[in-house]
Amino acid sequence: MRGLGQACTMMGLRAVPVGLAIWYGSLAPAPAHGAYATSDDVVTGYERYVGDRVEIGGQVVSMDPVTIAVTNGDERRELRVTGATGTVRRGERIRVFGILESDGTVHATDAFTVRRGGLVYTRVVSLLAGLWVLWRLLAHWRLDTDRFALERRPMPRAVRAAVGAWFSRRRDGDA
Amino acid sequence: MPDLPTHALIADTCASLLSVRYRWLDPQYMAVTMAGAFVPDLVKLKLLASSGRVEAVLGVPFDWFVLRTAGGVAVALLVGVMLAVRRERHRVAGLLAVGTATHLATDALLRTPSDRSFDVFWPVTRYNPPTPGLYLSTQPEPTVVAALATLAACALTKSLPERNWAEEAGAE
């Protein structure tokens, strides 16, 4: 019985998150609530959002008129941006909020540029921080393989090392 | 907010401050709070397999951004709690929740072109609260502020009477 319960729990632990991600993925934008169509929506279903307010972002691929490449990670689509004030350079990433027109244009009501290299900076430091968090977790917690459960290490590895070093130094001193 | 180090530092600051009130909150438990702050960043899995690619495999709609909603992180936390041994589950649940809550709260202040944040309350409501737009995720400034806050919290807890972690853990 215990094995069955455990198997059900494990299956639930996998099925529920996936189910939730599927449910969330099936939601249409809800502009009335401030959930506007995103780059993903515009790339995959452009016609559906013509005339709607959309919130997209992309890299500037050409100027006069400003054209950005919008992508969902797999496909990309080039859109012209009109109505935006401020200066923008080719290669910069901009984020735009505006009305989607039928001719491949977004009429911006607000737009801003994202600092050059900003995305690379964010990803690199995030990766380092991820490794730091992982290291801290593994230093303080261990996997009990019998029960397949995480539990606290009896003493943090660093403390144990420090205590060990102190004792060995004392022993050397006595000898 | 912006990047993972900032989230980790904010979670660490909160854990330090909470440890003043909750004596059992030692560095081992603080690591759990940081892990909680990491959860919404699992959205980055989209870089390995975009939502569209997962959709193609599953044949149904799919969105990684569910991990930036209340419902998504609640389920993710439940998985984390179930991974911990039974006697630690209460504390682990609370600490993971603190870390994740600070992440979502600071992300809700990010600048967006529409001045609305994201589906932070889903599935309770689709309402995207307005954001004051304090910073962009690509700015290093918030990291500096968070690091200073962490140092201040660290100094505060260090200035309190000496604590003996091992003895306190044994006394429970």
Side-chain angles (χ1 to χ4, degrees), chain B residues 77-132:
Chain B
L77 291 194
L78 204 63
V79 174
V81 169
M82 294 300 283
L83 284 178
V85 290
R86 201 170 286 267
R87 64 172 182 282
E88 303 284 4
R89 283 184 187 164
H90 277 106
R91 288 174 176 181
V92 167
L95 295 170
L96 283 178
V98 167
T100 311
T102 57
H103 188 135
L104 289 186
T106 46
D107 266 1
L109 308 177
L110 279 167
R111 185 174 175 200
T112 66
S114 64
D115 293 330
R116 300 293 285 264
S117 56
F118 53 99
D119 279 318
V120 62
F121 302 120
W122 186 81
V124 177
T125 167
R126 284 301 300 278
Y127 179 71
N128 283 216
T131 163

Side-chain angles (χ1 to χ4, degrees), chain A:
Chain A
M1 261 330 268
R2 192 160 165 265
L4 186 71
Q6 236 168 13
C8 286
T9 311
M10 288 313 285
M11 240 165 73
L13 285 182
R14 276 173 220 162
V16 173
V18 174
L20 210 65
I22 291 171
W23 180 16
Y24 188 63
S26 69
L27 297 176
H33 294 295
Y36 303 102
T38 62
S39 298
D40 281 19
D41 299 316
V42 172
V43 169
T44 53
Y46 187 91
E47 283 71 27
R48 237 176 297 159
Y49 305 106
V50 169
D52 288 354
R53 280 173 297 174
V54 297
E55 187 171 356
I56 58 170
Q59 196 168 27
V60 178
V61 288
S62 64
M63 306 288 295
D64 303 313
V66 173
T67 307
I68 60 169
V70 182
T71 171
N72 64 349
D74 300 316
E75 304 158 70
R76 62 177 246 157
R77 189 171 185 128
E78 293 192 359
L79 295 173
R80 286 184 300 277
V81 180
T82 60
T85 53
T87 53
V88 64
R89 275 193 304 267
R90 206 174 145 153
E92 274 180 332
R93 288 189 58 82
I94 61 172
R95 292 181 61 193
V96 182
F97 179 59
I99 309 276
L100 191 66
E101 314 277 2
S102 58
D103 58 351
T105 307
V106 180
H107 188 74
T109 51
D110 193 12
F112 58 81
T113 54
V114 180
R115 201 169 54 88
R116 222 192 172 109
L119 215 58
V120 176
Y121 160 81
T122 305
R123 284 186 185 161
V124 169
V125 293
S126 291
L127 182 71
L128 292 177
L131 292 175
W132 178 40
V133 172
L134 197 66
W135 176 80
R136 272 194 68 170
L137 205 60
L138 292 178
H140 291 300
W141 292 71
R142 66 179 198 89
L143 187 69
D144 179 345
T145 42
D146 291 339
R147 287 180 293 176
F148 193 72
L150 287 168
E151 68 175 1
R152 275 145 60 88
R153 287 184 188 278
M155 204 193 284
R157 203 186 266 168
V159 174
R160 201 162 47 214
V163 171
W166 186 71
F167 272 110
S168 65
R169 210 171 34 239
R170 233 170 50 142
R171 258 204 313 279
D172 293 347
D174 291 344

